[in-house]
Amino acid sequence: MRLLSFDAVEALAEAAADRVAAGVRGRREPTLALPTGRTAVPLYDALAHRHAAGTIDLSRARGFNLDELLLPAGSPASFRAFMERHAWGRTGFDPRRCDIPDSGATDPEAECGRYDRVLAAAGPLDLAILGIGADGHVGYNLPGPPHERTHVVQVPGAVADGLGVPAAERPLRAITMGFGPLRAARRLLLLAIGPAKRRAVRALVDGPADPRWPASLLRDHPEFDVLVTRDAMGEP
Ligand code: GLP
């Protein structure tokens, strides 16, 4: 694991964008796992600037979102809506080459099966970009026995609180990619911003691999970049 800490979010985002550029370089149709969440926004902004400047080309990349909330059709809280606002298009990712679990799936288990088949057909991911929850979750791989495949989870209330989902749409469920494609990815890039992530980052960095802190289960991946702000490490 390579750990880098940054004073400023902008510097972290530029370093992350450098790693995205390196991850797609030389590959005809690079495949990436893509995150949502506040942490991902500065990275997507940095990629959007590079796309506008013509210094990165993601037009042939294939993106697979890590997870999606199960919500009524058209909910603005969906991760699809997030990707339309922050990522697809403006960064150069072609939405037609990107996939995300169906937020409105009437048969979520069948949708998990579809996503696993799509991921298997695409082959190993070139780069999986991850955020991290305060409880150490990646995608929605929550604390507890790990799942290798795409699965449905009940989103804990404390996690759902930060998502702006109305009370009428609770309890909240989500579909998430499992650990299988993350372990198999050629490279992993995990981003953490702010003091709320301190315990989860420490569990990842200090180890051991512990299913109570899901991100730590990836700590032995041979190509793992962890980019954090100093306050996410507990550094002043
Ligand atoms: C969300 C997502 C994760 C994300 C994490 C942290 O709920 N399921 O993929 O990494 O929680 O989110 P944020 O970056 O907003 O802190």
Side-chain angles (χ1 to χ4, degrees), residues 1 10 35 47 50 69 74 79 112 161 167 172 181 212 218:
M1 182 193 308
E10 295 73 20
L47 293 175
R50 292 184 189 204
L69 304 174
F79 291 168
C112 291
D161 284 346
L172 187 59
R212 290 173 298 178
L218 297 169

Side-chain angles (χ1 to χ4, degrees), residues 93-134:
F93 276 109
D94 178 350
R96 292 167 304 184
R97 300 174 69 81
C98 293
D99 206 335
I100 183 168
D102 180 5
S103 175
T106 50
D107 184 345
E109 297 297 338
E111 178 61 5
C112 291
R114 179 196 73 82
Y115 211 53
D116 276 335
R117 286 191 296 279
V118 169
L119 286 166
L125 295 161
D126 290 306
L127 175 67
I129 308 171
L130 308 167
I132 186 169

Side-chain angles (χ1 to χ4, degrees), residues 36 38 66-71 77-79 103 108 133-135 137-143 147 151-167 169-177:
T36 50
R38 283 177 292 271
L66 291 167
D67 49 12
E68 175 60 291
L69 304 174
L70 288 165
L71 292 169
S78 75
F79 291 168
S103 175
D135 62 357
H137 71 254
V138 285
Y140 270 125
N141 290 278
L142 300 168
H147 294 254
H151 55 286
V152 178
V153 300
Q154 183 98 29
V155 180
V159 176
D161 284 346
L163 294 169
V165 176
E169 294 170 14
R170 310 270 195 104
L172 187 59
R173 290 184 307 155
I175 291 178
T176 184
M177 198 182 282

Side-chain angles (χ1 to χ4, degrees), residues 78-90 95:
S78 75
F79 291 168
R80 169 176 288 278
F82 173 99
M83 294 303 285
E84 287 167 349
R85 267 197 309 279
H86 296 287
W88 294 335
R90 65 191 286 266

